[in-house]
Amino acid sequence: MKKAFITGISGQDGSYLAEYLLGLGYEVHGLIRPASRKDDALWRIESIRDQVKLHIADLGNSQQLESLVRTLQPDECYHLAAKSFAGIATGDGAAILQVNVNGTRHLLSALNSVAPECRFFFAGSSEIFGAAEVAPQTETTPFHPRSVYGESKVKGHELVHQYRDQHQLFACTGILYNHESPRRGFRFVTRKITSTAVKIKLGLEFELRLGNIEAERDWGFAGDTVTAMHACLNNVEAPEDFVIATGLTHTVGELLALAFGELDLNYESYLVIDPDFVRPKEAVPLVGDASRAKLKLGWQPRKTFEDMIREMVLSDLDYFSHLL
């Protein structure tokens, strides 16, 4: 039986990945922060709590991490934990760099020291391309991050290459484009839209405040994304990096129309364009070319954008209806 170690197991991606690996017969261990000990922080993995083994540790504590890795001796390590940029003030940039970069460095160092045969997956981000000059982006597109979060992911990507080249670790980066689900946090625009649409339908709210609805993204389904993570460590003989994306873009306006339309509502009757949320539209959209992943990993996204938004709306409708 293979043993997997997942950082960020209680997050959207971690929960889907844990379920997927359990279905493949893995022994699954997950890292959670001390602040995540309360049950309300672990709701995404509630249905599998008795099937996974949780470990409390701080990614910023290198000795603690090394001790845990030495004890576990995992076959595969999926590093998904990161401090996100969504809803975080600019002044928190130092904290984002501290957590994301040092956490990745400490984990790679621990594996190299005490579990060098373990295969390592790093959850990268399309934010490394930021102000891209070409679309779609591939694994060789130059990095041009526009945020501290994007910078932290570039540094993590470089650390993966360092440990792969200098220490021969089986380490790779999945350059992940936006991926959503009913488990997405409310700070993210997709879940903000689906949940607010439902609350308007139920009479709990009366408006939705957004910025530029012409903004577009390559949105995939988180459940599909985690299957690519597993393929990165199992479907190739040598480690390399892969863009994980749908190759299709949709605007926020399209998302609005789908979400509100599912509830027989016209979003234009409730939408308020708030200058505080307006961001410049990218001259070149962030959209990924996952040809390499499709060819070498045998991976491709399965759930459509429309089905994903519908699933999110129905999930939120069930959740908020039960609160009434």
Side-chain angles (χ1 to χ4, degrees):
M1 178 186 292
K2 281 189 175 182
K3 185 185 298 183
F5 177 46
I6 305 172
T7 72
I9 193 172
S10 61
Q12 171 189 248
D13 294 1
S15 64
Y16 278 110
L17 179 60
E19 291 171 1
Y20 182 67
L21 295 178
L22 286 170
L24 294 176
Y26 277 66
E27 177 182 325
V28 177
H29 295 257
L31 181 72
I32 59 174
R33 295 177 295 116
S36 300
R37 298 177 68 175
K38 295 181 179 179
D39 288 342
D40 58 355
L42 303 175
W43 63 270
R44 294 180 182 89
I45 57 172
E46 181 179 358
S47 64
I48 57 170
R49 281 284 295 276
D50 60 342
Q51 300 176 63
V52 300
K53 299 178 182 179
L54 301 180
H55 306 271
I56 299 170
D58 183 354
L59 283 169
N61 189 322
S62 59
Q63 292 181 333
Q64 196 175 56
L65 267 184
E66 183 171 314
S67 176
L68 178 58
V69 171
R70 179 185 290 107
T71 300
L72 292 180
Q73 289 296 308
D75 299 291
E76 297 170 12
C77 176
Y78 298 87
H79 182 35
L80 313 184
K83 194 171 183 65
S84 173
F85 65 100
I88 290 180
T90 305
D92 286 336
I96 292 176
L97 286 170
Q98 174 76 13
V99 172
N100 294 359
V101 179
N102 285 346
T104 303
R105 178 184 290 111
H106 293 159
L107 188 51
L108 281 165
S109 176
L111 291 171
N112 184 54
S113 296
V114 299
E117 298 304 312
C118 178
R119 296 191 170 195
F120 177 82
F121 175 87
F122 172 64
S125 169
S126 60
E127 293 295 319
I128 64 176
F129 300 125
E133 296 182 358
V134 296
Q137 296 84 43
T138 70
E139 293 82 1
T140 60
T141 298
F143 301 155
H144 195 169
R146 299 201 309 170
S147 66
V148 175
Y149 177 80
E151 291 175 11
S152 75
K153 288 298 184 178
V154 168
K155 293 183 185 300
H157 186 85
E158 292 171 346
L159 282 167
V160 167
H161 277 234
Q162 176 186 335
Y163 276 83
R164 187 163 78 202
D165 297 340
Q166 297 182 13
H167 303 287
Q168 290 71 56
L169 279 186
F170 192 111
C172 65
T173 296
I175 304 172
L176 311 179
Y177 280 68
N178 294 63
H179 46 287
E180 317 299 323
S181 76
R183 302 178 190 179
R184 182 53 110 176
F186 289 107
R187 297 172 299 151
F188 293 82
V189 68
T190 47
R191 189 78 191 284
K192 178 180 180 180
I193 289 172
T194 61
S195 63
T196 304
V198 164
K199 286 186 277 189
I200 288 173
K201 181 70 173 181
L202 297 175
L204 300 173
E205 291 193 10
F206 304 96
E207 67 177 26
L208 171 61
R209 306 183 77 86
L210 292 174
N212 179 17
I213 67 170
E214 296 305 314
E216 54 187 327
R217 284 289 183 272
D218 183 334
W219 274 303
F221 175 56
D224 288 337
T225 298
V226 301
T227 66
M229 298 177 183
H230 177 260
C232 285
L233 299 190
N234 290 274
N235 292 10
V236 289
E237 293 184 2
E240 56 183 298
D241 308 318
F242 293 94
V243 163
I244 307 300
T246 70
L248 302 171
T249 60
H250 298 276
T251 66
V252 174
E254 290 179 72
L255 201 163
L256 282 164
L258 282 169
F260 279 76
E262 188 67 29
L263 300 166
D264 297 319
L265 297 174
N266 183 347
Y267 76 84
E268 294 178 341
S269 301
Y270 307 97
L271 178 64
V272 176
I273 301 299
D274 188 332
D276 288 341
F277 295 135
V278 173
R279 300 290 182 271
K281 183 182 179 183
E282 292 91 348
V284 176
L286 287 180
V287 54
D289 178 354
S291 297
R292 180 185 288 184
K294 293 176 181 178
L295 177 65
K296 294 192 173 184
L297 301 179
W299 175 86
Q300 62 181 0
R302 298 186 180 280
K303 183 164 291 189
T304 66
F305 176 73
E306 292 78 12
D307 285 345
M308 178 181 70
I309 299 303
R310 182 177 300 111
E311 181 179 336
M312 293 176 69
V313 170
L314 294 177
S315 175
D316 280 335
L317 183 60
D318 179 69
Y319 175 75
F320 288 105
S321 294
H322 281 86
L323 294 181
L324 295 176

